[in-house]
Amino acid sequence: QAFGRGAAGVGVVSLSAVISGMPVGYYALTNWEDFNARQATVSIFTKRDEPDLGKAIQSQIQKHVLMYNVRGDPNPRHNFPGDPMLDPIIGSLAILGLAYALSRFYRPANALMLLTFVIMIAGAILSIDFEAPQSLRAIGTQPAVIYFAALPLVLLARATGEQLNPLWQRARLRRFVYPPLNVLATLTLLAVVGLVTQYSYTAYYIKQRNSAAVYTDHSTPETVMAYEMNRLIRDYDLIVTQTYFGVPTVAFLAPAAMARAKMWSGNDPLDLTTDGTRGIAILVDPKLAAAFDQLRRSFPNATFRQFVSPMGGSSELLFEALLSPGDLRDAQGLEARVYPGDAFMGGLVSALERGEP
């Protein structure tokens, strides 16, 4: 009878998994190239820095096992760069719980969580090695890590109960022993929870929140550029650096301005032609700092602005040059060419196009 109930439960779970996975399976069968495209671009089997596959996988295993308590994900979008993924208390408990689970791997709960951990961390281990450790691709290990961290506490409570159980049989001792122990256990648990909460609050709401690296890496330059494009499009023709031209963040936040903007690579001459009634706004990334300085020299009366992180740090997010119609007129010069005979042609060009300061 027990076997029948277990088989029925397994059957229901299996049928539910098949039904819920049918849309994904159908898409994979009918659009295999699209379905497999992302996996192909991040797989360690097709792209890696270490030529030797065996050494690359060995290094990946080491980095991802150590990311929980030694050195974590360096990506500012996933973590404060390099900090362990677990706080010291939960990390220590997880190590103890993992050791116990390995020593009792034949028990169903331990076997399930060990298998979950191995399967879910494999996605990170088998991805491109220059991103390692990659916590986001190992996010499925969370249930197993929580289980390992809780396991020592459960075992301690169980062992304590077994040791004190004879005392509970004596009503007189129970009345004097139980209340102090209950209070002590409660206070200890609250202290542990308080320390973990304080660590997490400091990590997320003080350390990460006020980090210039974390602030900058959340598409901040692209977002600032999109806001500036929306603000300036009414009065200026836009020239946008190639680095941010058409990227998803800018295209999403400023679609109308993006459609009217011109792209500049930094290597080509600037097209500063205008109808004379509108200015030109030039938005460039920090890699073009030298070109930005050239703009300063060519248009000394124009408006220049550098966007930096409010969290501090020395790196700029975006450079902006606003050239009014007057600035453009003031920088114009006359270029004349003499041709054989009496023919004469001349035209207006900007000092910047001539390469003059």
Side-chain angles (χ1 to χ4, degrees), residues 113-305:
M113 288 304 168
L114 288 170
L115 188 62
T116 298
F117 183 82
V118 171
I119 293 175
M120 292 302 173
I121 203 174
I125 291 174
L126 300 179
S127 63
I128 43 184
D129 53 357
F130 63 83
E131 289 185 349
Q134 229 283 3
S135 63
L136 191 60
R137 298 192 184 116
I139 197 170
T141 62
Q142 282 187 347
V145 172
I146 293 172
Y147 174 83
F148 296 144
L151 195 56
L153 299 178
V154 173
L155 294 174
L156 178 62
R158 185 180 299 170
T160 303
E162 292 176 355
Q163 293 295 325
L164 296 178
N165 188 54
L167 297 177
W168 304 151
Q169 308 303 324
R170 304 178 184 180
R172 186 175 300 176
L173 289 176
R174 186 192 315 169
R175 186 170 50 190
F176 290 103
V177 174
Y178 180 75
L181 285 178
N182 188 31
V183 171
L184 179 61
T186 302
L187 292 177
T188 302
L189 182 60
L190 290 175
V192 171
V193 172
L195 289 174
V196 171
T197 303
Q198 181 186 19
Y199 183 92
S200 299
Y201 180 86
T202 302
Y204 295 119
Y205 294 99
I206 297 179
K207 192 173 182 179
Q208 270 188 275
R209 181 182 179 183
N210 297 313
S211 167
V214 174
Y215 175 85
T216 303
D217 216 57
H218 282 79
S219 296
T220 307
E222 297 89 334
T223 302
V224 173
M225 174 173 285
Y227 288 162
E228 285 299 290
M229 291 172 66
N230 288 332
R231 182 178 70 88
L232 298 170
I233 190 61
R234 289 174 295 182
D235 303 312
Y236 293 88
D237 294 331
L238 300 177
I239 297 177
V240 177
T241 181
Q242 183 179 15
T243 302
Y244 299 142
F245 190 89
V247 297
T249 301
V250 179
F252 177 76
L253 295 176
M258 192 74 257
R260 296 168 55 184
K262 297 178 182 179
M263 184 180 70
W264 182 46
S265 66
N267 299 320
D268 304 324
L270 270 171
D271 180 8
L272 299 179
T273 56
T274 177
D275 61 4
T277 62
R278 292 171 60 83
I280 295 179
I282 305 171
L283 302 168
V284 301
D285 61 279
K287 295 179 182 178
L288 297 179
F292 189 73
D293 292 337
Q294 176 66 29
L295 284 171
R296 286 182 184 272
R297 293 191 294 269
S298 300
F299 300 92
N301 297 323
T303 301
F304 295 90
R305 187 178 179 187

Side-chain angles (χ1 to χ4, degrees), residues 326-339:
D327 296 325
L328 294 169
R329 285 193 299 268
D330 293 342
Q332 297 296 313
L334 180 65
E335 181 181 272
R337 293 187 178 94
V338 178
Y339 296 87

